[in-house]
Structures are given as C-alpha cells and as structure tokens.
Amino acid sequence: MDFQLVTGRPDTTDHLVFTTTFTHNNVFYKAALAETISWEGKLTGSYDALLQSGKGTQRLTLVKEGNHWRAGDEIEQIGIIQQDVVDLLGVVIGKVRR
C-alpha cells in the first residue's frame, strides 16, 4: 500500500495528512486521512478518513484502542465500514507514522 503525504507551509509543524490507494476483495479504494484536531487545536489520537470506491464514498473516524483500530460511532458516518478495511487503514497509518 503506497501513500502520499500532504504538506503545508515550511515554517509550521504539519499535522499528519496523507492519501493512499489499495484493493481489498477486488474493490479498489482511494482514501484521504488526517489526524483529528480538537477545536482547541490539540490532537485527539484519532483520524478522520474519506474513503471512496466504486461502491460509494464513506466518511468515518478511525479510533485506536490499544493495538486495534475501529470505526468511530459518529452520527455522520455513512454506511457500515468492514473491519478488514479499517485494519488496512490502520496498517498504513502505522507505516506513515514511522
């Protein structure tokens, strides 16, 4: 799974934002992920994700609990994301963080 970082201005610390593509169960996905930032400007430890495929687009939050990632329970979430896909997104988050 490849990824591409999105960077901002050179004089500021960037919060992590990246895009990635992958195939799972013969479905091609494009995803944009960003560290979630509170209204106070602090990192929350979760990621906002926009996930697009030929089956549609989903907006969700990824929440890490221990070594496991899960989809958030927010009301705006469209549809139900498969845990396998959440796990793949968690893997790429780990790769990007390194």
Side-chain angles (χ1 to χ4, degrees):
M1 200 178 319
D2 265 345
F3 61 86
Q4 180 176 347
L5 291 173
V6 179
T7 59
R9 300 186 324 230
D11 59 340
T12 60
T13 301
D14 285 335
H15 299 293
L16 187 61
V17 177
F18 63 97
T19 60
T20 187
T21 59
F22 60 96
T23 301
H24 178 67
N25 289 339
N26 296 319
V27 177
F28 178 72
Y29 292 92
K30 296 184 283 184
L33 293 99
E35 285 183 294
T36 307
I37 302 166
S38 72
W39 285 107
E40 294 81 29
K42 298 182 176 155
L43 295 175
T44 67
S46 62
Y47 286 80
D48 288 318
L50 187 63
L51 184 64
Q52 187 177 51
S53 73
K55 294 183 175 186
T57 301
Q58 292 179 306
R59 202 223 46 89
L60 63 143
T61 300
L62 299 173
V63 179
K64 189 169 186 179
E65 295 176 337
N67 291 328
H68 181 73
W69 288 91
R70 68 171 178 82
D73 299 322
E74 68 271 91
I75 200 158
E76 302 90 11
Q77 189 165 311
I78 302 166
I80 298 173
I81 189 80
Q82 294 176 353
Q83 185 61 46
D84 291 355
V85 174
V86 170
D87 292 339
L88 287 170
L89 292 171
V91 168
V92 77
I93 289 170
K95 287 181 180 180
V96 173
R97 298 251 7 126
R98 282 184 233 138

Coordinates of all heavy atoms in Angstrom, one line a residue:
M1 N 0.8 -1.2 0.0 CA 0.0 0.0 0.0 C 0.9 1.2 0.0 O 1.7 1.4 0.9 CB -0.9 0.0 1.2 CG -2.1 0.8 1.1 SD -3.2 0.8 2.6 CE -3.3 -0.9 3.1
D2 N 0.8 2.1 -1.0 CA 1.6 3.3 -1.1 C 0.8 4.4 -0.4 O -0.4 4.3 -0.2 CB 1.8 3.7 -2.5 CG 3.1 3.2 -3.1 OD1 4.0 2.8 -2.2 OD2 3.3 3.2 -4.3
F3 N 1.5 5.5 -0.1 CA 0.9 6.7 0.4 C 1.6 7.9 0.0 O 2.7 7.8 -0.5 CB 0.8 6.6 2.0 CG 2.2 6.6 2.6 CD1 2.9 7.7 2.9 CD2 2.8 5.4 2.9 CE1 4.2 7.7 3.4 CE2 4.0 5.3 3.5 CZ 4.7 6.5 3.8
Q4 N 0.9 9.0 0.0 CA 1.5 10.3 -0.3 C 1.1 11.3 0.8 O 0.0 11.5 1.1 CB 0.9 10.8 -1.7 CG 1.5 12.1 -2.1 CD 1.0 12.5 -3.5 OE1 0.4 11.8 -4.2 NE2 1.3 13.8 -3.8
L5 N 2.2 11.9 1.4 CA 2.0 12.9 2.4 C 1.5 14.2 1.8 O 2.0 14.6 0.7 CB 3.2 13.1 3.2 CG 3.7 12.0 4.1 CD1 5.1 12.3 4.7 CD2 2.7 11.7 5.2
V6 N 0.7 14.9 2.5 CA 0.3 16.3 2.1 C 0.9 17.2 3.1 O 0.8 17.1 4.3 CB -1.3 16.4 2.2 CG1 -1.7 17.8 1.8 CG2 -1.9 15.4 1.3
T7 N 1.7 18.1 2.6 CA 2.5 19.0 3.5 C 1.9 20.5 3.4 O 1.3 20.8 2.4 CB 4.0 19.0 3.2 OG1 4.2 19.4 1.8 CG2 4.6 17.7 3.4
G8 N 2.2 21.2 4.4 CA 1.7 22.6 4.4 C 2.9 23.6 4.3 O 3.9 23.3 3.5
R9 N 2.9 24.6 5.0 CA 3.9 25.7 5.0 C 5.2 25.2 5.6 O 5.2 24.4 6.6 CB 3.5 26.9 5.6 CG 2.2 27.5 5.0 CD 1.8 28.8 5.6 NE 2.1 28.9 7.0 CZ 1.3 29.4 7.9 NH1 0.0 29.7 7.6 NH2 1.6 29.4 9.2
P10 N 6.4 25.6 5.1 CA 7.6 25.1 5.7 C 7.9 25.6 7.1 O 8.8 25.1 7.8 CB 8.7 25.6 4.6 CG 8.0 26.7 3.9 CD 6.5 26.4 3.9
D11 N 7.3 26.7 7.5 CA 7.6 27.3 8.8 C 6.7 26.8 9.9 O 6.8 27.4 11.0 CB 7.5 28.8 8.7 CG 6.2 29.3 8.3 OD1 5.4 28.5 7.7 OD2 5.9 30.5 8.5
T12 N 5.9 25.8 9.7 CA 5.0 25.3 10.7 C 5.0 23.8 10.8 O 5.4 23.1 9.9 CB 3.5 25.7 10.5 OG1 3.1 25.2 9.2 CG2 3.3 27.2 10.5
T13 N 4.7 23.3 12.0 CA 4.6 21.8 12.2 C 3.3 21.4 11.6 O 2.2 21.9 11.9 CB 4.6 21.5 13.7 OG1 5.8 22.0 14.2 CG2 4.6 20.0 13.9
D14 N 3.4 20.4 10.7 CA 2.2 19.9 10.0 C 1.6 18.8 10.8 O 2.3 17.9 11.4 CB 2.6 19.3 8.6 CG 2.9 20.4 7.6 OD1 2.3 21.5 7.7 OD2 3.6 20.1 6.6
H15 N 0.3 18.7 10.9 CA -0.4 17.6 11.4 C -0.4 16.6 10.2 O -0.4 16.9 9.1 CB -1.8 17.9 11.8 CG -1.8 18.9 12.9 ND1 -1.3 18.7 14.2 CD2 -2.2 20.2 12.9 CE1 -1.4 19.7 14.9 NE2 -1.9 20.7 14.2
L16 N -0.5 15.3 10.6 CA -0.3 14.3 9.6 C -1.6 14.2 8.7 O -2.7 14.0 9.1 CB -0.1 12.9 10.2 CG 0.2 11.7 9.3 CD1 1.4 12.0 8.6 CD2 0.3 10.5 10.1
V17 N -1.4 14.4 7.4 CA -2.4 14.2 6.3 C -1.8 13.5 5.2 O -0.7 13.8 4.7 CB -2.9 15.6 5.8 CG1 -3.9 15.5 4.7 CG2 -3.4 16.5 7.0
F18 N -2.5 12.4 4.7 CA -2.0 11.7 3.6 C -3.1 11.0 2.8 O -4.2 10.9 3.3 CB -1.0 10.6 4.1 CG -1.5 9.6 5.0 CD1 -1.9 8.3 4.5 CD2 -1.7 9.8 6.3 CE1 -2.5 7.4 5.3 CE2 -2.2 8.8 7.2 CZ -2.6 7.6 6.7
T19 N -2.7 10.6 1.6 CA -3.7 9.8 0.8 C -3.1 8.5 0.5 O -1.9 8.3 0.5 CB -3.9 10.5 -0.6 OG1 -2.7 10.7 -1.3 CG2 -4.5 11.9 -0.4
T20 N -3.9 7.5 0.2 CA -3.5 6.2 -0.1 C -4.5 5.5 -1.0 O -5.6 5.9 -1.1 CB -3.2 5.3 1.2 OG1 -2.6 4.1 0.8 CG2 -4.5 5.1 1.9
T21 N -4.0 4.5 -1.7 CA -4.9 3.6 -2.5 C -4.6 2.2 -2.2 O -3.5 1.8 -1.9 CB -4.8 3.9 -4.1 OG1 -3.4 3.6 -4.4 CG2 -5.1 5.3 -4.4
F22 N -5.7 1.3 -2.3 CA -5.5 -0.1 -2.1 C -6.6 -0.9 -2.7 O -7.7 -0.3 -3.0 CB -5.3 -0.4 -0.6 CG -6.4 0.0 0.2 CD1 -7.4 -1.0 0.6 CD2 -6.5 1.3 0.7 CE1 -8.5 -0.6 1.4 CE2 -7.6 1.6 1.6 CZ -8.6 0.7 1.9
T23 N -6.4 -2.2 -2.9 CA -7.5 -3.0 -3.3 C -7.8 -4.1 -2.2 O -6.8 -4.6 -1.7 CB -7.1 -3.8 -4.6 OG1 -6.8 -2.8 -5.6 CG2 -8.2 -4.7 -5.1
H24 N -9.0 -4.3 -1.9 CA -9.4 -5.3 -1.0 C -10.7 -6.0 -1.5 O -11.7 -5.3 -1.8 CB -9.7 -4.6 0.4 CG -10.2 -5.6 1.4 ND1 -9.4 -6.6 1.9 CD2 -11.4 -5.7 2.1 CE1 -10.0 -7.2 2.9 NE2 -11.3 -6.7 2.9
N25 N -10.7 -7.3 -1.5 CA -11.8 -8.1 -2.0 C -12.2 -7.6 -3.4 O -13.4 -7.5 -3.7 CB -13.0 -8.1 -1.1 CG -12.7 -8.9 0.2 OD1 -11.9 -9.8 0.2 ND2 -13.5 -8.6 1.2
N26 N -11.3 -7.4 -4.3 CA -11.5 -7.0 -5.7 C -12.2 -5.6 -5.8 O -12.8 -5.3 -6.8 CB -12.3 -8.0 -6.4 CG -11.5 -9.3 -6.6 OD1 -10.3 -9.3 -6.8 ND2 -12.2 -10.4 -6.4
V27 N -12.1 -4.8 -4.7 CA -12.6 -3.4 -4.8 C -11.4 -2.5 -4.6 O -10.7 -2.6 -3.7 CB -13.7 -3.2 -3.6 CG1 -14.1 -1.7 -3.7 CG2 -14.8 -4.1 -3.8
F28 N -11.3 -1.5 -5.5 CA -10.3 -0.5 -5.5 C -10.7 0.7 -4.6 O -11.8 1.2 -4.8 CB -9.9 0.0 -6.9 CG -8.9 1.0 -6.9 CD1 -7.5 0.7 -6.6 CD2 -9.2 2.3 -7.2 CE1 -6.6 1.7 -6.6 CE2 -8.3 3.4 -7.2 CZ -6.9 3.0 -7.0
Y29 N -9.9 1.1 -3.7 CA -10.3 2.2 -2.7 C -9.3 3.3 -2.9 O -8.1 3.0 -3.1 CB -10.2 1.7 -1.3 CG -11.3 0.7 -0.9 CD1 -11.1 -0.7 -1.0 CD2 -12.5 1.2 -0.4 CE1 -12.1 -1.6 -0.6 CE2 -13.5 0.3 -0.1 CZ -13.3 -1.1 -0.1 OH -14.3 -2.0 0.2
K30 N -9.7 4.5 -2.7 CA -8.9 5.7 -2.5 C -9.3 6.3 -1.2 O -10.5 6.3 -0.8 CB -9.2 6.7 -3.6 CG -8.8 6.3 -5.0 CD -9.0 7.4 -6.0 CE -10.5 7.6 -6.3 NZ -10.8 8.5 -7.3
A31 N -8.3 6.7 -0.4 CA -8.6 7.2 0.9 C -7.7 8.4 1.2 O -6.6 8.5 0.8 CB -8.3 6.1 2.0
A32 N -8.3 9.4 1.9 CA -7.6 10.6 2.4 C -7.8 10.5 3.9 O -8.9 10.4 4.4 CB -8.2 11.8 1.8
L33 N -6.7 10.6 4.6 CA -6.7 10.5 6.1 C -6.0 11.7 6.7 O -5.0 12.2 6.2 CB -6.1 9.2 6.6 CG -6.8 8.0 6.2 CD1 -6.1 7.3 5.0 CD2 -6.8 7.0 7.4
A34 N -6.5 12.2 7.8 CA -5.9 13.3 8.5 C -6.1 13.1 10.0 O -7.1 12.7 10.5 CB -6.6 14.6 8.1
E35 N -5.0 13.5 10.8 CA -5.1 13.5 12.2 C -6.3 14.4 12.6 O -6.4 15.5 12.1 CB -3.8 13.9 12.9 CG -2.7 12.9 12.8 CD -1.5 13.4 13.5 OE1 -0.9 14.4 13.0 OE2 -1.1 12.8 14.5
T36 N -7.1 13.9 13.5 CA -8.2 14.7 14.0 C -7.7 15.7 15.1 O -6.9 15.4 16.0 CB -9.3 13.8 14.7 OG1 -9.6 12.8 13.8 CG2 -10.5 14.6 15.1
I37 N -8.1 17.0 14.9 CA -7.7 18.1 15.8 C -8.9 18.6 16.4 O -9.9 18.9 15.8 CB -6.9 19.1 15.0 CG1 -5.7 18.5 14.2 CG2 -6.5 20.3 15.8 CD1 -5.1 19.4 13.2
S38 N -8.8 18.8 17.8 CA -10.0 19.4 18.5 C -10.1 20.9 18.2 O -9.2 21.5 17.6 CB -9.7 19.2 20.0 OG -8.7 20.1 20.5
W39 N -11.2 21.5 18.6 CA -11.4 22.9 18.4 C -10.4 23.7 19.2 O -10.1 24.9 18.8 CB -12.8 23.3 18.9 CG -13.9 22.8 17.9 CD1 -14.8 21.8 18.1 CD2 -14.1 23.4 16.6 NE1 -15.5 21.7 16.9 CE2 -15.2 22.6 16.0 CE3 -13.6 24.4 15.9 CZ2 -15.7 22.9 14.8 CZ3 -14.1 24.7 14.6 CH2 -15.1 23.9 14.1
E40 N -9.7 23.1 20.2 CA -8.7 23.8 20.9 C -7.3 23.7 20.2 O -6.3 24.2 20.7 CB -8.6 23.3 22.3 CG -9.8 23.6 23.2 CD -10.9 22.6 22.9 OE1 -10.7 21.4 22.6 OE2 -12.1 23.0 23.1
G41 N -7.3 23.0 19.1 CA -6.0 22.8 18.3 C -5.2 21.7 18.8 O -4.0 21.6 18.4
K42 N -5.7 20.7 19.6 CA -5.0 19.6 20.1 C -5.3 18.3 19.3 O -6.4 18.1 18.9 CB -5.2 19.4 21.6 CG -4.8 20.6 22.4 CD -5.1 20.4 23.8 CE -4.5 21.6 24.5 NZ -4.9 22.1 25.7
L43 N -4.3 17.5 19.2 CA -4.5 16.2 18.5 C -5.4 15.3 19.4 O -5.2 15.3 20.7 CB -3.2 15.5 18.3 CG -2.3 16.2 17.3 CD1 -0.9 15.5 17.2 CD2 -2.9 16.3 15.9
T44 N -6.3 14.5 18.9 CA -7.2 13.7 19.6 C -6.7 12.2 19.7 O -7.3 11.4 20.4 CB -8.6 13.8 19.1 OG1 -8.6 13.2 17.8 CG2 -9.1 15.2 19.0
G45 N -5.8 11.9 18.8 CA -5.4 10.5 18.7 C -6.2 9.7 17.7 O -5.9 8.5 17.5
S46 N -7.1 10.3 17.1 CA -7.9 9.6 16.1 C -7.6 10.2 14.7 O -6.9 11.2 14.6 CB -9.4 9.7 16.4 OG -9.9 11.0 16.4
Y47 N -8.2 9.6 13.7 CA -8.0 10.1 12.3 C -9.4 10.2 11.6 O -10.2 9.3 11.8 CB -7.2 9.1 11.5 CG -5.7 9.1 11.9 CD1 -5.2 8.5 13.0 CD2 -4.8 9.8 11.1 CE1 -3.9 8.5 13.3 CE2 -3.5 9.9 11.4 CZ -3.0 9.2 12.6 OH -1.7 9.3 12.9
D48 N -9.5 11.3 10.9 CA -10.7 11.4 10.0 C -10.3 10.8 8.7 O -9.2 11.0 8.2 CB -11.1 12.9 9.8 CG -11.7 13.5 11.0 OD1 -12.5 12.9 11.7 OD2 -11.3 14.7 11.3
A49 N -11.3 10.1 8.1 CA -11.0 9.4 6.8 C -12.1 9.6 5.8 O -13.3 9.6 6.2 CB -10.8 7.9 7.0
L50 N -11.8 9.9 4.6 CA -12.7 9.9 3.5 C -12.3 8.7 2.6 O -11.2 8.7 2.1 CB -12.6 11.2 2.7 CG -13.7 11.4 1.6 CD1 -15.1 11.5 2.3 CD2 -13.4 12.7 0.9
L51 N -13.2 7.8 2.4 CA -12.9 6.5 1.7 C -13.8 6.4 0.5 O -15.1 6.5 0.7 CB -13.1 5.3 2.7 CG -12.8 3.9 2.2 CD1 -11.3 3.8 1.9 CD2 -13.2 2.9 3.2
Q52 N -13.2 6.3 -0.6 CA -14.0 6.2 -1.9 C -13.7 5.0 -2.7 O -12.6 4.5 -2.8 CB -13.7 7.5 -2.7 CG -14.6 7.6 -3.9 CD -14.2 8.9 -4.7 OE1 -13.1 9.2 -5.0 NE2 -15.2 9.7 -4.9
S53 N -14.8 4.4 -3.2 CA -14.7 3.2 -4.1 C -15.8 3.3 -5.1 O -16.6 4.2 -5.1 CB -14.7 1.9 -3.3 OG -16.1 1.7 -2.9
G54 N -15.8 2.3 -6.0 CA -16.9 2.2 -6.9 C -18.3 2.0 -6.3 O -19.3 2.1 -6.9
K55 N -18.2 1.6 -5.0 CA -19.5 1.4 -4.2 C -20.0 2.6 -3.5 O -21.0 2.6 -2.9 CB -19.2 0.3 -3.2 CG -18.9 -1.1 -3.8 CD -18.8 -2.1 -2.7 CE -18.6 -3.5 -3.3 NZ -18.6 -4.5 -2.2
G56 N -19.2 3.7 -3.6 CA -19.6 5.0 -3.0 C -18.5 5.6 -2.1 O -17.4 5.1 -2.1
T57 N -18.9 6.6 -1.4 CA -18.0 7.3 -0.5 C -18.4 7.2 0.9 O -19.6 7.3 1.2 CB -17.9 8.8 -0.9 OG1 -17.5 8.8 -2.3 CG2 -16.9 9.6 -0.1
Q58 N -17.5 7.0 1.8 CA -17.8 6.9 3.3 C -16.9 7.9 4.0 O -15.7 8.1 3.7 CB -17.5 5.5 3.8 CG -18.5 4.5 3.3 CD -18.2 3.1 3.9 OE1 -17.1 2.7 3.8 NE2 -19.2 2.5 4.5
R59 N -17.4 8.6 5.0 CA -16.7 9.5 5.9 C -16.7 8.8 7.2 O -17.8 8.5 7.7 CB -17.2 10.9 5.9 CG -16.2 11.9 6.4 CD -16.6 12.9 7.4 NE -17.3 12.6 8.5 CZ -16.8 12.2 9.7 NH1 -15.5 12.0 9.9 NH2 -17.6 12.1 10.8
L60 N -15.6 8.6 7.8 CA -15.6 8.0 9.1 C -14.4 8.5 10.0 O -13.5 9.1 9.5 CB -15.5 6.5 9.0 CG -14.3 5.9 8.3 CD1 -13.9 4.6 9.0 CD2 -14.5 5.6 6.9
T61 N -14.4 8.2 11.2 CA -13.3 8.4 12.1 C -12.7 7.1 12.5 O -13.4 6.1 12.8 CB -13.8 9.2 13.4 OG1 -14.4 10.4 13.0 CG2 -12.6 9.4 14.4
L62 N -11.4 7.0 12.5 CA -10.7 5.8 13.0 C -10.1 6.1 14.4 O -9.5 7.1 14.6 CB -9.5 5.5 12.0 CG -9.9 5.2 10.6 CD1 -8.7 5.1 9.7 CD2 -10.8 3.9 10.5
V63 N -10.5 5.2 15.3 CA -10.1 5.3 16.7 C -9.2 4.1 17.1 O -9.6 3.0 16.8 CB -11.4 5.3 17.6 CG1 -11.0 5.5 19.0 CG2 -12.3 6.4 17.1
K64 N -8.1 4.4 17.7 CA -7.2 3.3 18.1 C -7.4 3.0 19.6 O -7.5 3.9 20.4 CB -5.7 3.7 17.9 CG -4.8 2.6 18.1 CD -3.4 2.9 17.7 CE -2.5 1.7 17.8 NZ -1.2 1.9 17.3
E65 N -7.6 1.7 19.8 CA -7.8 1.2 21.2 C -6.8 0.1 21.4 O -6.9 -1.0 20.9 CB -9.3 0.6 21.3 CG -10.3 1.7 21.2 CD -11.7 1.1 21.3 OE1 -11.9 -0.1 21.0 OE2 -12.6 1.9 21.7
G66 N -5.7 0.4 22.1 CA -4.6 -0.5 22.3 C -3.9 -0.6 21.0 O -3.5 0.4 20.4
N67 N -3.8 -1.8 20.4 CA -3.2 -2.1 19.1 C -4.2 -2.3 18.0 O -3.8 -2.7 16.9 CB -2.2 -3.3 19.2 CG -1.0 -3.0 20.1 OD1 -0.5 -1.9 20.1 ND2 -0.5 -4.0 20.7
H68 N -5.4 -2.0 18.3 CA -6.5 -2.3 17.4 C -7.2 -1.0 17.0 O -7.4 -0.1 17.8 CB -7.5 -3.2 18.1 CG -8.7 -3.6 17.3 ND1 -8.6 -4.5 16.2 CD2 -10.0 -3.2 17.3 CE1 -9.8 -4.7 15.7 NE2 -10.6 -3.9 16.3
W69 N -7.6 -0.9 15.7 CA -8.3 0.3 15.2 C -9.8 -0.1 15.0 O -10.1 -1.3 14.6 CB -7.7 0.7 13.8 CG -6.4 1.4 14.0 CD1 -5.2 0.8 13.9 CD2 -6.2 2.8 14.2 NE1 -4.2 1.7 14.1 CE2 -4.8 2.9 14.2 CE3 -7.0 3.9 14.3 CZ2 -4.2 4.2 14.4 CZ3 -6.4 5.1 14.5 CH2 -5.0 5.3 14.5
R70 N -10.7 0.8 15.2 CA -12.1 0.6 14.9 C -12.7 1.9 14.3 O -12.1 2.9 14.4 CB -12.8 0.2 16.2 CG -13.0 1.4 17.2 CD -13.9 1.0 18.3 NE -14.0 2.1 19.3 CZ -14.7 3.2 19.2 NH1 -15.5 3.3 18.1 NH2 -14.7 4.1 20.1
A71 N -13.8 1.7 13.6 CA -14.5 2.9 13.1 C -15.2 3.6 14.3 O -15.7 2.9 15.2 CB -15.5 2.4 12.0
G72 N -15.3 4.9 14.2 CA -16.0 5.6 15.3 C -17.5 5.5 15.2 O -18.0 4.9 14.2
D73 N -18.1 6.0 16.2 CA -19.6 5.9 16.3 C -20.3 7.2 15.9 O -21.5 7.3 16.2 CB -20.0 5.5 17.7 CG -19.4 4.2 18.1 OD1 -19.3 3.3 17.3 OD2 -19.0 4.1 19.3
E74 N -19.6 8.1 15.2 CA -20.2 9.4 14.9 C -21.5 9.2 14.0 O -21.6 8.3 13.2 CB -19.2 10.3 14.3 CG -18.8 9.9 12.9 CD -17.6 9.0 12.8 OE1 -17.8 7.8 12.9 OE2 -16.5 9.5 12.8
I75 N -22.4 10.1 14.2 CA -23.7 10.1 13.5 C -23.5 10.4 12.0 O -24.4 9.9 11.2 CB -24.7 11.0 14.2 CG1 -26.1 10.6 13.8 CG2 -24.4 12.4 13.9 CD1 -27.1 11.1 14.8
E76 N -22.5 11.1 11.6 CA -22.3 11.4 10.2 C -21.8 10.3 9.4 O -21.8 10.4 8.2 CB -21.3 12.6 10.1 CG -21.7 13.8 10.8 CD -21.1 13.9 12.2 OE1 -20.3 13.0 12.6 OE2 -21.5 14.7 13.0
Q77 N -21.4 9.2 10.0 CA -20.8 8.1 9.3 C -21.8 7.5 8.3 O -23.0 7.3 8.7 CB -20.3 7.0 10.3 CG -19.5 5.9 9.6 CD -18.7 5.1 10.6 OE1 -18.1 5.6 11.4 NE2 -18.9 3.8 10.5
I78 N -21.4 7.4 7.1 CA -22.3 6.9 6.1 C -22.0 5.4 5.9 O -20.9 5.0 5.5 CB -22.0 7.6 4.7 CG1 -22.2 9.1 5.0 CG2 -22.9 7.1 3.6 CD1 -21.7 10.0 3.8
G79 N -23.0 4.6 6.1 CA -22.9 3.2 5.9 C -22.0 2.5 7.0 O -21.6 3.2 8.0
I80 N -21.8 1.2 6.9 CA -21.0 0.5 7.9 C -19.8 0.0 7.2 O -19.8 -0.7 6.2 CB -21.8 -0.7 8.4 CG1 -23.1 -0.1 9.2 CG2 -21.0 -1.5 9.3 CD1 -24.0 -1.2 9.6
I81 N -18.6 0.4 7.7 CA -17.3 0.0 7.1 C -17.0 -1.4 7.6 O -17.2 -1.8 8.7 CB -16.3 1.0 7.5 CG1 -15.0 0.8 6.8 CG2 -16.0 1.1 9.0 CD1 -15.0 1.4 5.4
Q82 N -16.4 -2.2 6.7 CA -15.9 -3.5 7.1 C -14.7 -3.4 7.9 O -13.8 -2.6 7.7 CB -15.6 -4.3 5.8 CG -16.7 -4.6 4.9 CD -16.2 -5.3 3.7 OE1 -15.1 -5.5 3.4 NE2 -17.2 -5.8 2.9
Q83 N -14.6 -4.2 9.0 CA -13.4 -4.2 9.9 C -12.1 -4.5 9.1 O -11.1 -3.9 9.4 CB -13.6 -5.2 11.0 CG -12.5 -5.1 12.1 CD -12.4 -3.7 12.7 OE1 -13.4 -3.1 13.1 NE2 -11.1 -3.2 12.9
D84 N -12.2 -5.3 8.1 CA -10.9 -5.6 7.3 C -10.4 -4.3 6.7 O -9.2 -4.2 6.6 CB -11.3 -6.6 6.2 CG -11.6 -8.0 6.7 OD1 -11.5 -8.2 7.9 OD2 -11.9 -8.8 5.8
V85 N -11.3 -3.5 6.2 CA -10.8 -2.2 5.6 C -10.3 -1.3 6.7 O -9.2 -0.6 6.4 CB -12.0 -1.6 4.8 CG1 -11.6 -0.2 4.3 CG2 -12.4 -2.5 3.6
V86 N -10.9 -1.2 7.8 CA -10.4 -0.4 8.9 C -9.0 -0.9 9.3 O -8.1 -0.1 9.5 CB -11.3 -0.5 10.1 CG1 -10.7 0.2 11.4 CG2 -12.7 0.2 9.8
D87 N -8.8 -2.2 9.4 CA -7.5 -2.8 9.7 C -6.4 -2.4 8.7 O -5.3 -2.1 9.0 CB -7.6 -4.3 9.8 CG -8.4 -4.8 11.0 OD1 -8.6 -4.0 11.9 OD2 -8.9 -5.9 11.0
L88 N -6.8 -2.4 7.4 CA -5.8 -2.0 6.4 C -5.5 -0.5 6.5 O -4.3 -0.1 6.3 CB -6.4 -2.2 5.0 CG -6.5 -3.7 4.5 CD1 -7.3 -3.9 3.3 CD2 -5.1 -4.2 4.3
L89 N -6.4 0.3 6.8 CA -6.2 1.7 7.0 C -5.3 1.9 8.2 O -4.4 2.8 8.2 CB -7.4 2.5 7.2 CG -8.3 2.6 5.9 CD1 -9.6 3.3 6.2 CD2 -7.6 3.4 4.8
G90 N -5.5 1.1 9.3 CA -4.6 1.2 10.4 C -3.2 0.8 10.1 O -2.2 1.4 10.6
V91 N -3.0 -0.2 9.2 CA -1.6 -0.6 8.8 C -0.9 0.6 8.1 O 0.2 0.9 8.4 CB -1.7 -1.8 7.9 CG1 -0.4 -2.0 7.2 CG2 -2.1 -3.0 8.7
V92 N -1.6 1.3 7.2 CA -1.0 2.4 6.5 C -0.7 3.5 7.5 O 0.3 4.2 7.3 CB -1.8 2.8 5.3 CG1 -3.0 3.6 5.6 CG2 -0.9 3.6 4.3
I93 N -1.6 3.8 8.4 CA -1.3 4.8 9.4 C 0.0 4.5 10.2 O 0.9 5.4 10.3 CB -2.5 5.0 10.4 CG1 -3.7 5.6 9.8 CG2 -2.0 5.8 11.7 CD1 -4.9 5.6 10.6
G94 N 0.2 3.3 10.5 CA 1.4 2.8 11.2 C 2.6 3.0 10.3 O 3.7 3.5 10.8
K95 N 2.5 2.7 9.0 CA 3.7 2.9 8.1 C 4.0 4.4 8.0 O 5.2 4.8 7.9 CB 3.3 2.3 6.7 CG 3.3 0.9 6.7 CD 3.0 0.4 5.3 CE 3.0 -1.1 5.2 NZ 2.7 -1.6 3.9
V96 N 3.0 5.3 7.8 CA 3.2 6.7 7.6 C 3.8 7.3 8.9 O 4.7 8.1 8.8 CB 1.9 7.4 7.3 CG1 2.1 8.9 7.2 CG2 1.4 6.9 5.9
R97 N 3.4 6.9 10.1 CA 3.9 7.4 11.3 C 5.4 7.1 11.5 O 6.0 7.8 12.2 CB 3.1 6.9 12.5 CG 1.6 7.3 12.4 CD 1.1 8.3 13.4 NE 1.9 9.0 14.3 CZ 1.9 10.3 14.4 NH1 1.1 11.0 13.5 NH2 2.6 10.9 15.3
R98 N 5.8 6.0 10.9 CA 7.3 5.6 11.1 C 8.0 6.6 10.2 O 8.9 7.1 10.2 CB 7.5 4.2 10.6 CG 7.1 3.2 11.7 CD 7.4 1.8 11.3 NE 6.2 1.1 11.4 CZ 5.8 0.2 10.6 NH1 6.5 -0.1 9.6 NH2 4.7 -0.5 10.8

